[in-house]
Amino acid sequence: MAPFLAYEDKGPDAHRVPLVLVHGHPFDRTMWTPQLERFSDTRRVVAPDLRGYGASPTTPAVADFSGFARDIEALLDELKVESFVLAGLSMGGQIVMDCYRLFPERVRGLVLADTFPSAETPEGVRTRDAMADRLLAEGMRGYADEVLERMVAPYASAEVKAHVHGMMTATSPEGAAAALRARARRPDYGTLLPRVSVPALVVVGADDTFTPVSDALALHAALPDAELHIVDGAAHMPNLERPEVFDAALEEFLARVDARQPSPAPPRL
């Protein structure tokens, strides 16, 4: 059966833990291009387009936030990726937390970038629903123009700005709207975090105004075994704005997860 999601699957199926990259809203898997290029030389890296984004189908629309996690689980089943490190940014980080809620036994490590665990407030639900209505009525360009210099810092390179703006304007309004409504009704992951039994890496851009450093500090404090990296010279997308800094932190974390791999079982006599 062909996988439901469009995806990249690169790198050797070696003795290193595979890395699964989950993009945010309203982007696609190309937001992870620097990480795909950097890490696929030495390990298997999988980066899907979420349902409603990129080249993945928009219908049936996601109605429940856990649908994103179940789509990822089904893709990894198809690709025979049994255990992995899960990395997500913004909404992708919340999807990563939902994956851990639903199938923690498969997760070897968590990377949570520019994200937060709490459920939406009543005002937040209204705001996301109103934005969904707006995107359906107007399309993506006006929204993309408004938020570009919050997604990435105003001082980001023209190349990075063009990439981010292009992802946003290429996103299906129907897919983005469905995701906004589902995200508005996501669960609170705050009670999950203290029970996370795998290593975690929390990353945030120092100039992020969507999920500020204070959110990352709280996330880091709630996780039993977590490292925190604050990336100077970046806003909401440090993996694109400062990939060399983001990748160095990720590489160190992955080496730590690799070292925790269980030893192979001795042969049966």
Side-chain angles (χ1 to χ4, degrees):
M1 183 175 73
F4 176 76
L5 302 178
Y7 63 94
E8 298 282 350
D9 181 8
K10 295 184 175 182
D13 205 359
H15 296 296
R16 292 183 172 91
V17 181
L19 174 63
V20 179
L21 301 167
V22 185
H23 68 77
H25 165 88
F27 309 124
D28 57 48
R29 68 185 188 269
T30 68
M31 69 158 277
W32 295 113
T33 296
Q35 290 69 49
L36 279 159
E37 293 175 351
R38 170 74 175 266
F39 294 102
S40 63
D41 285 345
T42 57
R43 74 180 67 239
R44 190 174 184 185
V45 184
V46 178
D49 282 337
L50 297 170
R51 190 193 312 198
Y53 295 89
S56 287
T58 300
T59 54
V62 64
D64 182 272
F65 197 67
S66 65
F68 288 125
R70 291 303 187 194
D71 285 349
I72 291 169
E73 183 183 30
L75 174 65
L76 296 175
D77 286 346
E78 287 287 333
L79 298 179
K80 295 180 168 51
V81 181
E82 297 300 327
S83 63
F84 36 81
V85 169
L86 269 173
L89 183 143
S90 192
M91 183 181 79
Q94 293 166 340
I95 293 168
V96 162
M97 288 183 260
D98 210 76
C99 289
Y100 190 83
R101 179 179 70 87
L102 293 171
F103 43 95
E105 69 283 353
R106 298 179 66 175
V107 180
R108 301 287 297 280
L110 298 175
V111 181
L112 301 170
D114 300 81
T115 192
F116 63 98
S118 57
E120 206 60 78
T121 64
E123 178 60 28
V125 172
R126 289 189 290 271
T127 298
R128 292 196 190 277
D129 285 348
M131 180 58 71
D133 291 339
R134 176 189 168 187
L135 296 181
L136 290 173
E138 300 177 8
M140 299 297 295
R141 180 166 293 276
Y143 170 77
D145 291 346
E146 288 173 16
V147 302
L148 176 61
E149 292 193 350
R150 291 186 67 197
M151 292 295 189
V152 296
Y155 50 77
S157 72
E159 181 181 13
V160 167
K161 287 182 180 180
H163 182 187
V164 173
H165 192 268
M167 287 190 292
M168 289 193 287
T169 54
T171 294
S172 156
E174 292 77 16
L180 282 168
R181 297 190 201 282
R183 188 182 184 190
R185 292 155 182 86
R186 69 186 182 275
D188 189 327
Y189 302 109
T191 57
L192 173 73
L193 298 179
R195 305 198 305 272
V196 171
S197 61
V198 297
L201 172 65
V202 178
V203 186
V204 65
D207 294 332
D208 191 346
T209 58
F210 281 119
T211 52
V213 171
S214 58
D215 285 351
L217 292 172
L219 191 60
H220 173 253
L223 289 157
D225 181 8
E227 305 167 23
L228 173 67
H229 284 264
I230 300 171
V231 180
D232 291 329
H236 194 56
M237 303 185 73
N239 71 301
L240 282 175
E241 297 171 87
R242 297 292 309 280
E244 70 287 353
V245 177
F246 184 94
D247 290 354
L250 180 54
E251 186 167 45
E252 183 179 316
F253 177 73
L254 290 171
R256 180 183 170 209
V257 175
D258 288 339
R260 289 167 57 107
Q261 288 197 74
S263 300
R268 296 181 66 178
L269 299 178

